[in-house]
Amino acid sequence: MQRMTLCGAWEMRASDECAWRRAQVPGSVYADLLADGAMEDPFWRDNELKAFPLMRKDWCYRRRFTVPEGLLESRRVLLVCEGLDTLAHVRLNGSAVGDADNMHVTWEWDVKPLLHAGENEIEIDFDSPVNYALAEDAKRPCWGSTDAVPGFSHIRKAHCMFGWDWGPRLPDAGIWRPISLVGVDAGRILSVQVLQHHEADRVTLEVQPEIEGMGLWTARVTAPDGQVLTADEAGRVVIDQPELWWPRGYGAQPLYTVTVTLSGPSGDMDTWTRRIGLRTLWVSREKDAWGEEFCHIVNGVKVFAMGADYIPEDNILSRVNPERTRRLLEDAALANMNAVRVWGGGYYPDDFFFDICDELGLMVWLDLMYACSFYDLTPAFERSIRLETEQNIRRLRHHASLALICGNNEMEGFMGDAQRALVNGTDDCGPKRWSHVADYTKMYEYILPEICKRLAPQTFWWPSSPSSGGCFDTPNDPNRGDVHYWAVWHGEKPFTEYRKFHFRYASEFGFQSFPCLKTVERFTLPEDRNIFSRIMERHQRNQASNGKIMAYMAQTFRYPQGFDNLLYASQLLQAEAIRYGVEHWRRNRGRCMGAIIWQLNDCWPVASWASIDYYGRWKALHYAAKRFFAPVLLSCEEQGELSQNPKINEFHPAPIERSIHLNVTNETRAPFAGTVVWALRRPDASVIEEGREEVNVPALSALWLDKRDFGDTSVTGTYASFALLGENGVISEGTALFCAPKHFDFLDPHLTVRTEGDEIIVTADAYARQVWVESDDADLLLSDNCFDLNAGEKRVRVLRGGTSGLRVRSVWSLDKA
């Protein structure tokens, strides 16, 4: 096949403009207007309000090109549009080619009859997505997230572009993925399915290409060591002594290359080449003493999923590229994550996203692109979603990292609520709501699972997140399936509330924080730098949540002095909240088998649940995740005022227990032997009482040590430290308070910081909690940060960024000017 790219320089204009502007494809209206200087940065202050009306307009793109003679001689010439966002009308040399209405689909049309020698012109008109959504909502209202533009569910476009509780309303448009002309003669390869059959020390691949037209195909597999294996006539390839692919932390990620070649009388016509990993990957739902487990099983091993939820990396999609995505995913892996969940309100990620996950050993939970809304299953909508699902499953099914395909985000729960309201007579929408319930059932119990099971039979299907298995059977059941838990944060419960639940798999839970000062400076003026200013609240899309952060702040810390300290304190809160949950669930490995934090990243600079901000800067949470997701973890379930009498003036008849209960979690495939040391200390870090214990922890298990009760030790004047020692020193460590940090008798730790080569050395002469090292370079990344220090010194490595202007602070300094 011959291919001619149509990417590169185009022209664009609004429908009410005469003059054409320069444009770049792939790209978008917003990206082109920014490049042309015709639009202000929509992320600066409240410029979003200026950018949004631009999408009430229609837009046109055009390009002139000359077709090579050889391409014109092809039997067919296809116009292949890999991404049109979204309501598009395509013309070639003045003649209509076709219409598009789904940004998640690759559109193809045979345009050979419309092409000619010499100069040709292609034009693509884009209708306003805002006008369409609002008009459809007026005709047939559907419930949907109130943070978004009404009617967003009527258009197959990334829902979050219309606004979400972490993202702006910037519903862009344009040619967002490559566009090309492809000459086809006798035949072409549409897709290839590669099935794996595993036996002891052997894997048999079954290569099944889907061919359009005529031709003979062959297949070969290249092993990681370069050995080439050829498929037999039935497409079978036998691999002896296979190198298995494992999630990060459980083994290596060797990749085999599968090549399928289609040939005809005149030679090779088409080639399909992809990398695969040899593994079995399913989800176990075995019944057990607590209900029904929900865990990934990889090559027969039950894996504890540790990761975060991924949202689109930018509201302007052309800014997302392999280098940026690689850094984000490598940072996830650096924090010991082995999984990411692609949330269902964005778009299906590019191939390079999954390629990187294959390489890094990150299992991908893939939501189909439906979230927080009801849908009208009209015949046209059904045709569209069938095409969308079939195309994307065919595109992604070969990836080693693809662990699970899920129907939607949170809709089974919402729809179940609607169904119960109808039955109870408390829903006044009547027949229309019953129609939505019926449409939901058709989509997620029949249409979409049938496509998944037919096209990707070796990939686990799950109807919704959260779910207990579908059919409105108690989604969010703590003893079955996956759970979204939001009582901490939305419900304003204390951090200790996490310890009341032993979810089988927590696929969403989170806590907000502000980004660092340098990030805030990127979207504010000095006068905006108060968390209740108009601009700061415009960059906080979860209603009233800046106040919610302050409510949790009041429970935990003394009032921070200064705007920068307040931002820092919010990140400490976030790290502590999520640590409480994750460490608890890891201590209960076997009952709980997944902790997926909401959320990994941001799509613009904002206060949010992300552990990495829009500019790729680690918040305190991401450093904490590196510790609490460590393969071997020592954690502590302490008892004190926070767990027994957090409102200190309430009458409490029994004495407050001051105790620690240590646990070693071994999430590796080998047994672990080491030493646990612990100490009860004063605020100056001097030791009151200490102990040590040798531990032997079997592979893939959690071991409780004996509880240590410290009697009537001072609640505010003592703390516990603990560390796990291995052959190469400290593997895991931490501290525990018996009261809220605001009530602890901290001493000035007199923190100092200096550099030696690529190391930073922090010293303290007293207990320092949540020590934060920073420099004039906001992109400074360290091997550890936001750590506790029991006096003495700690060395951390510089991974990237500069160290000029180093400084350090801790919880003690929060209320200091």
Side-chain angles (χ1 to χ4, degrees):
M1 294 194 302
Q2 296 185 63
R3 182 178 295 269
M4 174 186 174
T5 182
L6 294 178
C7 297
W10 285 55
E11 295 179 306
M12 58 89 76
R13 68 180 182 187
S15 58
D16 60 354
E17 295 176 338
C18 296
W20 290 88
R21 306 175 188 274
R22 289 177 296 179
Q24 190 69 25
V25 169
S28 71
V29 170
Y30 285 149
D32 291 329
L33 292 177
L34 282 167
D36 194 54
M39 171 182 166
E40 297 178 82
D41 178 3
F43 296 167
W44 171 250
R45 303 193 79 225
D46 58 359
N47 279 350
E48 171 198 355
L49 300 175
K50 300 176 184 177
F52 180 79
L54 296 173
M55 298 318 300
R56 301 295 299 260
K57 298 182 178 184
D58 301 334
W59 295 85
C60 180
Y61 279 74
R62 75 176 183 184
R63 173 187 171 142
R64 296 182 178 89
F65 61 93
T66 300
V67 184
E69 183 176 339
L71 188 60
L72 283 172
E73 293 173 355
S74 300
R75 184 171 61 87
R76 291 189 299 155
V77 179
L78 303 178
L79 175 63
V80 180
C81 306
E82 297 180 34
L84 298 176
D85 181 14
T86 292
L87 304 170
H89 313 282
V90 183
R91 296 188 304 278
L92 185 59
N93 295 323
S95 297
V97 171
D99 299 323
D101 61 0
N102 189 326
M103 77 173 286
H104 307 301
V105 161
T106 293
W107 299 93
E108 290 186 356
W109 296 279
D110 187 352
V111 295
K112 181 174 180 179
L114 302 179
L115 292 168
H116 53 66
E119 188 175 74
N120 295 263
E121 183 178 75
I122 183 172
E123 291 183 280
I124 304 180
D125 295 332
F126 291 93
D127 296 342
S128 162
V130 176
N131 292 345
Y132 179 87
L134 292 174
E136 290 301 305
D137 183 67
K139 290 187 291 186
R140 45 193 181 113
C142 282
W143 177 87
S145 169
T146 55
D147 297 294
V149 174
F152 70 88
S153 65
H154 292 300
I155 177 172
R156 291 307 296 150
K157 175 180 175 66
H159 290 347
C160 62
M161 297 172 83
F162 290 101
W164 219 257
D165 60 359
W166 37 257
R169 296 186 188 97
L170 294 171
D172 209 351
I175 306 168
W176 74 288
R177 277 181 169 159
I179 181 171
S180 58
L181 292 171
V182 178
V184 179
D185 289 311
R188 62 173 174 155
I189 302 171
L190 296 179
S191 68
V192 177
Q193 179 165 257
V194 182
L195 300 177
Q196 302 184 19
H197 307 287
H198 287 245
E199 308 169 71
D201 298 323
R202 171 175 290 183
V203 173
T204 301
L205 300 182
E206 187 179 344
V207 182
Q208 302 176 345
E210 183 180 353
I211 306 297
E212 179 186 76
M214 304 295 291
L216 297 175
W217 63 271
T218 58
R220 67 180 187 274
V221 176
T222 304
D225 63 3
Q227 180 186 10
V228 178
L229 302 170
T230 302
D232 63 19
E233 292 183 356
R236 291 188 295 267
V237 180
V238 177
I239 303 172
D240 290 317
Q241 302 301 317
E243 298 181 53
L244 297 184
W245 183 95
W246 291 92
R248 189 171 191 85
Y250 296 82
Q253 294 81 42
L255 297 173
Y256 290 70
T257 301
V258 179
T259 302
V260 178
T261 302
L262 182 66
S263 304
S266 58
D268 294 347
M269 296 184 294
D270 197 4
T271 301
W272 182 95
T273 301
R274 302 289 190 275
R275 295 183 303 170
I276 67 168
L278 305 183
R279 88 291 186 269
T280 60
L281 208 172
W282 202 249
V283 171
S284 171
R285 297 178 62 198
E286 289 183 9
K287 304 292 185 184
D288 60 20
W290 304 288
E292 181 181 282
E293 75 175 354
F294 191 90
C295 72
H296 302 288
I297 299 186
V298 186
N299 303 325
V301 174
K302 292 184 178 181
V303 169
F304 192 110
M306 302 182 288
D309 293 277
Y310 169 89
I311 65 171
E313 295 171 51
D314 208 301
N315 258 88
I316 299 175
L317 299 183
S318 58
R319 293 174 173 171
V320 180
N321 55 55
E323 294 73 27
R324 180 175 175 180
T325 298
R326 178 173 289 278
R327 175 165 154 171
L328 176 66
L329 293 175
E330 286 180 345
D331 283 355
L334 191 57
N336 291 310
M337 295 184 182
N338 62 29
V340 289
R341 172 177 171 245
V342 176
W343 171 76
Y347 64 92
Y348 301 93
D350 293 275
D351 295 308
F352 59 74
F353 174 94
F354 287 87
D355 289 336
I356 297 166
C357 289
D358 292 344
E359 296 169 12
L360 296 176
L362 295 173
M363 299 182 294
V364 179
W365 171 312
L366 176 65
D367 282 1
L368 301 183
M369 292 303 124
Y370 309 89
C372 300
S373 57
F374 295 171
Y375 299 92
D376 282 342
L377 189 62
T378 64
F381 189 83
E382 181 176 342
R383 286 192 297 272
S384 182
I385 64 171
R386 282 183 178 276
L387 179 63
E388 169 190 323
T389 309
E390 289 172 353
Q391 283 192 2
N392 283 287
I393 288 181
R394 283 189 171 102
R395 177 171 68 90
L396 301 173
R397 62 188 172 185
H398 68 278
H399 283 283
S401 56
L402 183 59
L404 180 154
I405 297 174
C406 176
N408 64 73
N409 175 74
E410 295 186 342
M411 288 166 47
E412 183 183 357
F414 290 131
M415 196 63 69
D417 291 343
Q419 183 187 49
R420 284 187 291 275
L422 286 165
V423 170
N424 295 333
T426 57
D427 187 311
D428 58 4
C429 292
K432 182 61 177 175
R433 185 71 80 235
W434 277 118
S435 175
H436 284 146
V437 172
D439 288 348
Y440 177 94
T441 302
K442 292 174 189 175
M443 288 174 64
Y444 301 106
E445 302 289 345
Y446 297 99
I447 295 171
L448 299 179
E450 185 280 325
I451 294 171
C452 178
K453 292 169 185 177
R454 170 166 49 87
L455 297 180
Q458 294 182 332
T459 302
F460 184 82
W461 164 264
W462 193 238
S464 182
S465 181
S467 180
S468 297
C471 299
F472 310 120
D473 179 16
T474 322
N476 239 25
D477 186 331
N479 297 313
R480 296 180 296 157
D482 72 310
V483 163
H484 293 190
Y485 179 73
W486 286 104
V488 177
W489 182 254
H490 289 307
E492 300 189 35
K493 295 289 187 180
F495 304 162
T496 52
E497 195 76 5
Y498 284 121
R499 294 178 178 173
K500 296 180 179 179
F501 300 95
H502 301 80
F503 304 125
R504 312 318 302 266
Y505 192 115
S507 52
E508 268 195 31
F509 61 102
F511 195 94
Q512 277 202 359
S513 72
F514 297 106
C516 68
L517 180 60
K518 285 292 180 73
T519 292
V520 171
E521 289 173 347
R522 295 287 295 268
F523 64 83
T524 61
L525 292 169
E527 58 264 33
D528 301 325
R529 292 168 198 156
N530 179 300
I531 65 165
F532 297 115
S533 72
R534 182 175 182 83
I535 299 305
M536 288 296 291
E537 291 196 337
R538 287 294 304 174
H539 287 253
Q540 164 59 275
R541 306 317 282 261
N542 188 218
Q543 294 183 11
S545 284
N546 288 357
K548 189 170 294 185
I549 291 173
M550 293 308 298
Y552 276 103
M553 191 87 67
Q555 298 171 28
T556 310
F557 296 128
R558 296 185 181 186
Y559 193 86
Q561 290 296 309
F563 183 68
D564 187 21
N565 260 347
L566 194 154
L567 303 182
Y568 160 60
S570 77
Q571 293 195 18
L572 303 187
L573 281 173
Q574 182 187 36
E576 275 294 277
I578 302 307
R579 181 187 66 81
Y580 263 83
V582 173
E583 290 185 349
H584 166 65
W585 293 323
R586 288 199 63 188
R587 289 192 288 266
N588 288 277
R589 188 200 195 278
R591 187 171 181 180
C592 179
M593 289 300 289
I596 308 298
I597 301 165
W598 185 269
Q599 66 204 67
L600 177 63
N601 60 300
D602 282 326
C603 64
W604 73 316
V606 65
S608 81
W609 298 272
S611 63
I612 299 177
D613 78 16
Y614 172 74
Y615 296 106
R617 295 163 179 159
W618 287 30
K619 295 182 181 179
L621 170 58
H622 209 72
Y623 284 106
K626 186 178 181 182
R627 292 190 292 272
F628 60 59
F629 281 151
V632 180
L633 168 71
L634 174 64
S635 66
C636 176
E637 184 177 274
E638 82 290 342
Q639 293 295 330
E641 282 188 337
L642 286 180
S643 58
Q644 299 165 78
N645 191 32
K647 298 179 180 179
I648 60 173
N649 291 319
E650 288 188 351
F651 176 70
H652 195 265
I656 297 294
E657 179 183 326
R658 295 91 150 164
S659 67
I660 60 170
H661 199 183
L662 299 177
N663 180 284
V664 182
T665 306
N666 178 12
E667 197 56 37
T668 74
R669 293 166 57 213
F672 173 82
T675 304
V676 171
V677 296
W678 58 266
L680 181 67
R681 298 174 183 263
R682 303 177 184 89
D684 64 1
S686 60
V687 174
I688 302 170
E689 179 183 351
E690 61 185 340
R692 63 191 297 119
E693 181 176 343
E694 303 301 315
V695 293
N696 291 280
V697 189
L700 307 170
S701 70
L703 174 70
W704 285 100
L705 280 63
D706 291 338
K707 180 188 278 193
R708 301 283 175 179
D709 193 320
F710 297 119
D712 61 355
T713 189
S714 172
V715 169
T716 62
T718 61
Y719 74 98
S721 68
F722 46 89
L724 178 64
L725 310 180
E727 292 181 355
N728 298 313
V730 176
I731 292 175
S732 179
E733 61 183 334
T735 67
L737 300 179
F738 304 116
C739 64
K742 66 181 179 180
H743 294 149
F744 187 75
D745 299 329
F746 286 106
L747 301 176
D748 183 351
H750 298 111
L751 292 169
T752 66
V753 61
R754 69 183 193 276
T755 60
E756 287 183 8
D758 67 348
E759 286 191 324
I760 293 175
I761 299 94
V762 180
T763 64
D765 60 15
Y767 173 46
R769 186 172 178 85
Q770 292 180 298
V771 175
W772 184 257
V773 182
E774 59 194 324
S775 74
D776 293 340
D777 184 355
D779 297 316
L780 176 67
L781 180 66
L782 305 176
S783 59
D784 196 8
N785 211 344
C786 195
F787 50 80
D788 297 345
L789 186 55
N790 301 305
E793 74 171 32
K794 183 178 177 73
R795 291 173 175 261
V796 296
R797 287 180 296 109
V798 177
L799 303 183
R800 63 174 178 251
T803 58
S804 176
L806 272 181
R807 50 198 178 272
V808 62
R809 53 183 157 174
S810 70
V811 170
W812 176 84
S813 59
L814 280 179
D815 63 337
K816 310 301 185 292

